[in-house]
């Protein structure tokens, strides 16, 4: 098993408050890794450390190492823009730009300076197809993305992330604002995506973690309690705390 | 008993609202009754004159337009630039705090103080004389705090999720601001700028202070003139340095004359100025309404 991320002794702080404590973890390549745990356990903070989205938060700092393909993404000579392009992210609440469907998907290409109209059309179509949205929107590519339903908007956000050809896609509770039908579609999609991408998904829904992931990490109070194959975590966890959590005794 | 309190409160609020509208209506009705008969094409296209019946507002009207357009051209880029810097780039430190407090205070400085500054700085120190340029620069100083504050306000309403989405796709800070944040904030910024302009167009004191004339029988030189010979068009910035007057000054001048005819002229000029302001404000409201519908999050 090849690993995409290798995390060593990662601590994270918001001002004085420590959000992550000495996390060690290896995230496998081209598989789905789920991060579960009760609210406030640091799972969102953790996933945002993987593409340095936390840099945007004033007062946030990390120590420790996050290696992506052998390179520490927090070392000084790393281009954070390049990191974020290679490690895409889909957020909790669908956040399309207030622009057309087409422009939403093309945005990542435009900021890289692409001008070739034909190539762009191709990538937009390809990305929308991969995100299983093409059939629903192909006749209205140039209408506002804000007129789509919540589930469609989230798939648009996935298409937008795919368009820049990332290697990893991070999902931060992607279904928490969606209904069960839309959720099922996103889950099917994640299942498809793992053939080509490394996927990390934060979820508060344990069934979802069990359904979509190969590996699961259980976080509590900023610590990684247990990390193992998903079947193992859900059938025979080594830690008593994990067992209590997945059997619904707390959280 | 509770019901009565409720009703009394509603009645008082209604009365407060109506009081404002009532006084405004009285003002408008009074002005229209006095001045409407004087409004005509001739009134708009004649220069001021010693004889009230022949006097018009051509030079103040054109002067106001010059001043407003130049003020917008100067204050928009500087104000929006400053707003972007303070909101998006400036660190949270003492220096930024000092600037912020200053800007907030500047917005409350009486306009005549700006006139004195304009007189000292533009008219005298920079020797721009009592020109259109001096007037526009003075008003630029006056409206800058308003534009800076409304720009910041507008930038702040752009949801963080939009910025996040942009950064997550590998956009730089500059790209995120130019391509996502600014377009989303633009309606708010434009609204603020237009309201600032409608304030500028009604300002009298600072322009009197810098010495705008009260009687002008010519127009600033047009920036573009068409000629009979090649290349058929000439550009000139001479207009910037010509003397000028504006509508509020002309009105002020006319109401201080003893003759009844000038009083009528003043009323007519007030109507024109009011229409000017109402048009600007409606434009601001229209923009806000139109973009609010388009930008839902």
């Amino acid at each position: 098993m090849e690993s995409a991320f290798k995390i060593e002794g990662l601590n994270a702080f918001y001002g004085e408050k420590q959000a992550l404590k000495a996390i060690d973890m290896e995230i496998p390549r081209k598989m789905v890794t789920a991060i579960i745990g009760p609210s406030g356990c640091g799972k969102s903070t953790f996933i945002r450390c993987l593409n340095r989205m936390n840099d945007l938060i004033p007062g946030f700092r990390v120590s420790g190492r996050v290696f992506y393909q052998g390179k520490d993404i927090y070392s000084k000579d790393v281009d954070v823009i390049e990191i974020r392009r290679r490690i895409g992210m889909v957020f909790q609440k669908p956040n399309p730009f207030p622009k057309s469907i087409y422009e939403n998907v093309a945005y990542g290409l435009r900021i890289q300076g692409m001008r070739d109209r034909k190539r762009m059309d191709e990538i937009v179509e390809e990305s929308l197809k991969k995100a299983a949205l093409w059939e629903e929107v192909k006749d209205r590519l140039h209408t506002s993305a804000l007129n789509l339903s919540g589930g469609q908007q989230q798939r648009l956000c996935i298409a937008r992330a795919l368009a820049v050809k990332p290697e990893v896609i991070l999902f931060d509770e992607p279904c928490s604002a969606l209904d069960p039908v839309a959720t099922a579609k996103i889950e099917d999609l994640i299942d498809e995506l793992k053939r080509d991408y490394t996927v990390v998904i934060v979820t508060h829904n344990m069934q979802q973690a069990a359904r979509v992931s190969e590996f699961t990490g259980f976080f509590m109070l900023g610590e990684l309690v247990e990390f193992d194959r998903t079947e193992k975590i859900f059938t025979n966890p080594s830690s008593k705390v994990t067992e209590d959590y997945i059997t619904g005794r707390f959280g | 008993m509770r019901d009565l309190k409720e009703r009394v409160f509603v009645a008082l609020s209604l009365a407060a609202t109506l009081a404002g509208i009532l006084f405004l209506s009285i003002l408008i009705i009074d002005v229209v009754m006095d001045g409407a008969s004087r409004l005509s094409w001739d009134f708009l296209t004649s220069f001021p004159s010693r004889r009230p019946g022949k006097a018009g507002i051509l030079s103040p009207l054109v002067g106001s337009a010059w001043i407003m357009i130049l003020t917008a051209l100067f204050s928009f880029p500087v104000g929006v630039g400053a707003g972007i810097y303070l909101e998006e780039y400036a660190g949270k430190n003492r220096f930024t705090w000092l600037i912020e407090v200053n800007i907030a205070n500047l917005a409350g400085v009486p306009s005549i103080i700006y006139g004195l500054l304009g007189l000292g700085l533009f008219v005298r120190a920079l020797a721009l004389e009592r020109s259109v340029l001096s007037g526009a620069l003075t008003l630029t100083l006056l409206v800058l705090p308003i534009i800076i504050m409304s720009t910041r306000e507008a930038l702040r309403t752009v949801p963080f999720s939009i910025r996040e989405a942009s950064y997550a796709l590998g956009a730089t800070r500059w790209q995120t601001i130019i391509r996502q944040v600014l377009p989303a904030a633009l309606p708010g910024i434009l609204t603020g700028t237009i309201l600032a302009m409608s304030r500028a167009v009604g300002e009298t004191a600072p322009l009197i202070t810098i010495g705008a004339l009260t009687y002008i029988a010519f127009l600033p030189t047009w920036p573009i003139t068409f000629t009979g010979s090649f290349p058929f068009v000439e550009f000139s910035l001479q207009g910037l340095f010509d003397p000028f007057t504006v509508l509020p000054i002309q009105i002020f001048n006319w109401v201080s004359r003893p003759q009844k005819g000038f009083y009528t002229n003043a009323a007519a000029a007030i109507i024109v100025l009011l229409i000017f302001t109402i048009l600007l404000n409606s434009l601001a409201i229209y923009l806000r309404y139109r973009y609010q519908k388009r930008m839902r999050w």
Side-chain angles (χ1 to χ4, degrees):
Chain A
M1 184 189 85
E2 212 183 329
S3 70
F5 289 96
K6 195 159 182 296
I7 295 125
E8 292 178 0
L10 179 69
N11 295 297
F13 304 85
Y14 294 104
E16 291 303 303
K17 200 177 156 287
Q18 185 161 12
L20 292 176
K21 291 170 195 158
I23 309 290
D24 291 307
M25 192 171 172
E26 264 185 63
I27 296 176
R29 219 171 140 252
K30 294 204 179 175
M31 287 196 198
V32 180
T33 302
I35 309 291
I36 58 169
S39 304
C41 68
K43 53 192 195 296
S44 266
T45 305
F46 172 74
I47 199 174
R48 281 156 178 263
C49 284
L50 299 181
N51 67 343
R52 292 187 52 179
M53 282 304 282
N54 282 329
D55 290 14
L56 304 175
I57 297 165
F60 181 85
R61 69 201 159 83
V62 294
S63 64
R65 293 210 158 97
V66 178
F67 293 100
Y68 174 65
Q69 304 207 331
K71 174 106 185 125
D72 182 3
I73 62 169
Y74 282 94
S75 73
K76 283 216 171 64
D77 59 331
V78 158
D79 177 7
V80 63
I81 301 302
E82 179 62 15
I83 289 292
R84 296 203 189 115
R85 197 202 53 73
R86 289 167 66 187
I87 306 172
M89 188 160 202
V90 175
F91 298 87
Q92 202 164 1
K93 224 180 110 213
N95 56 355
F97 300 124
K99 296 184 170 198
S100 71
I101 295 169
Y102 183 96
E103 284 305 323
N104 262 278
V105 184
Y107 179 70
L109 304 169
R110 289 198 192 283
I111 57 176
Q112 288 175 31
M114 183 186 281
R115 286 174 193 269
D116 183 347
R117 189 70 206 199
K118 209 168 139 256
R119 183 87 190 96
M120 196 176 286
D121 287 351
E122 284 166 16
I123 297 178
V124 168
E125 178 173 344
E126 188 187 302
S127 308
L128 285 167
K129 277 180 176 161
K130 272 196 199 160
L133 189 60
W134 175 252
E135 287 304 318
E136 292 160 59
V137 301
K138 63 181 178 191
D139 301 322
R140 46 174 175 146
L141 287 178
H142 297 284
T143 60
S144 170
L146 301 177
N147 294 330
L148 297 174
S149 72
Q152 288 173 324
Q153 288 188 5
Q154 196 60 304
R155 275 178 286 149
L156 178 66
C157 292
I158 295 173
R160 182 172 71 182
L162 294 177
V164 296
K165 309 233 184 289
E167 295 147 19
V168 181
I169 303 175
L170 310 173
F171 289 89
D172 187 2
E173 299 196 27
C175 303
S176 61
L178 304 182
D179 65 49
V181 178
T183 300
K185 281 188 183 156
I186 303 277
E187 286 182 13
D188 289 345
L189 197 52
I190 290 174
D191 213 44
E192 286 284 312
L193 291 175
K194 73 179 177 202
R195 280 190 291 162
D196 300 313
Y197 306 90
T198 302
V199 174
V200 184
I201 176 171
V202 164
T203 174
H204 59 235
N205 178 334
M206 281 178 284
Q207 287 76 30
Q208 184 169 63
R211 281 193 299 261
V212 302
S213 71
E214 275 85 37
F215 282 83
T216 297
F218 171 59
F219 276 69
M220 211 172 95
L221 302 171
E223 285 174 71
L224 178 61
V225 177
E226 190 167 352
F227 179 65
D228 215 323
R229 294 205 152 266
T230 301
E231 310 91 82
K232 172 101 172 26
I233 294 267
F234 282 91
T235 54
N236 183 24
S238 342
S239 151
K240 178 82 174 61
V241 191
T242 312
E243 191 181 336
D244 288 350
Y245 182 70
I246 59 162
T247 51
R249 240 164 276 173
F250 72 95
Chain B
M1 185 56 199
R2 197 185 292 169
D3 192 45
L4 182 68
K5 266 189 187 168
E6 178 89 31
R7 267 194 240 166
V8 169
F9 183 69
V10 170
L12 283 175
S13 321
L14 184 65
T17 314
L18 289 180
I21 296 178
L22 183 74
F23 287 118
L24 186 66
S25 319
I26 291 175
L27 170 78
I28 291 176
I29 291 168
D30 183 52
V31 165
V32 168
M33 276 169 52
D34 284 345
S37 61
R38 189 69 185 82
L39 276 183
S40 66
W41 186 244
D42 274 346
F43 182 69
L44 296 178
T45 56
S46 306
F47 284 106
S49 155
R50 270 181 300 133
R51 286 184 295 271
K54 292 192 81 180
I57 55 167
L58 181 61
S59 49
L61 194 60
V62 173
S64 279
W66 267 90
I67 290 285
M68 204 189 67
I69 291 166
L70 284 177
T71 304
L73 284 180
F74 296 149
S75 59
F76 185 77
V78 179
V80 173
I84 291 175
Y85 173 75
L86 287 173
E87 197 57 35
E88 304 286 336
Y89 285 101
K92 292 258 171 289
N93 53 35
R94 222 158 240 237
F95 177 65
T96 315
W97 177 81
L98 197 71
I99 294 179
E100 281 172 5
V101 171
N102 264 303
I103 289 172
N105 281 330
L106 281 177
V109 169
S111 59
I112 195 154
I113 308 290
Y114 283 99
L116 289 170
L117 174 62
L119 179 67
L121 182 63
F122 302 124
V123 179
R124 302 243 168 95
L126 298 178
L128 296 174
E129 303 298 325
R130 305 161 167 190
S131 60
V132 174
L133 191 57
S134 294
L137 287 173
T138 306
L139 289 185
T140 297
L141 292 181
L142 179 82
V143 298
L144 259 183
I146 308 175
I147 296 181
I148 293 172
M149 289 201 294
S150 59
T151 299
R152 298 189 61 184
E153 203 81 27
L155 290 172
R156 233 173 284 155
T157 60
V158 178
F160 187 66
S161 65
I162 294 291
R163 298 161 202 258
E164 244 179 2
S166 176
Y167 287 124
L169 291 166
T172 60
R173 173 120 67 145
W174 163 248
Q175 286 170 329
T176 302
I177 292 173
I178 282 295
R179 290 171 182 255
Q180 298 297 346
V181 179
L182 209 52
L186 201 57
I189 295 175
L190 283 180
T191 308
T193 308
I194 293 169
L195 293 178
M197 288 308 116
S198 85
R199 159 124 196 243
V201 87
E203 277 300 338
T204 324
L207 296 180
I208 291 180
T209 317
I210 66 159
L213 300 179
T214 50
Y215 172 78
I216 288 230
F218 55 87
L219 299 178
T221 317
W222 281 108
I224 302 170
T225 34
F226 295 96
T227 57
S229 58
F230 188 79
F232 302 110
V233 61
E234 269 175 26
F235 298 98
S236 156
L237 291 177
Q238 179 52 42
L240 295 177
F241 303 100
D242 288 336
F244 70 102
T245 187
V246 292
L247 277 171
I249 293 183
Q250 188 64 60
I251 293 167
F252 173 71
N253 174 252
W254 276 338
V255 289
S256 48
R257 300 273 194 103
Q259 294 96 323
K260 176 86 174 78
F262 282 118
Y263 186 75
T264 312
N265 283 353
I270 289 171
I271 297 174
V272 175
L273 185 59
L274 279 179
I275 292 173
F276 219 90
T277 334
I278 289 170
L279 281 180
L280 280 176
N281 288 358
S282 331
L283 183 65
I285 292 166
Y286 168 76
L287 279 177
R288 187 159 47 197
Y289 173 73
R290 201 184 136 187
Y291 285 96
Q292 247 166 18
K293 274 207 315 202
R294 245 185 47 192
M295 308 258 179
R296 289 169 286 123
W297 279 290

